[in-house]
Amino acid sequence: MGLVPKTKVDILEALAEESAHGYLLAERLDLSHGYIYTHLKELRDEGMIEVVEEDGDRKIYGLTQNGVYLLSALTDRDPDSV
């Protein structure tokens, strides 16, 4: 097992494609809503993601620069392409 769980990497990869709210991420990644929000809170607390927009009660999440760097390090992606 790596230092960062696969689910968190999957979330970072999804947010690298486009910002999204938790329900959409849960649907795309086939995760329960409770599970996705646990990971979103942890990633937010770790400074990897941030709320980029609020749409009513929904928070839209996106990567921070640290999230971009982490995703790049974990996936060999060019940080400029994230």
Side-chain angles (χ1 to χ4, degrees):
M1 182 169 112
L3 294 174
V4 180
K6 181 179 179 339
T7 301
K8 286 187 179 179
V9 176
D10 291 345
I11 292 169
L12 293 174
E13 287 184 315
L15 291 175
E17 298 302 319
E18 75 176 308
S19 299
H21 56 81
Y23 283 99
L24 182 59
L25 288 168
E27 183 179 294
R28 286 185 180 162
L29 299 174
D30 196 28
L31 299 170
S32 73
H33 295 137
Y35 193 63
I36 195 82
Y37 282 104
T38 297
H39 282 294
L40 290 173
K41 181 184 180 329
E42 290 172 359
L43 286 166
R44 194 170 169 198
D45 290 347
E46 294 160 357
M48 300 300 130
I49 65 171
E50 63 187 347
V51 175
V52 295
E53 183 182 337
E54 292 197 37
D55 181 17
D57 291 338
R58 290 186 175 173
K59 291 179 173 77
I60 310 298
Y61 297 93
L63 295 180
T64 62
Q65 193 61 49
N66 285 340
V68 169
Y69 292 144
L70 177 62
L71 183 59
S72 175
L74 294 171
T75 62
D76 293 327
R77 283 183 169 205
D78 178 0
D80 294 329
S81 70
V82 175

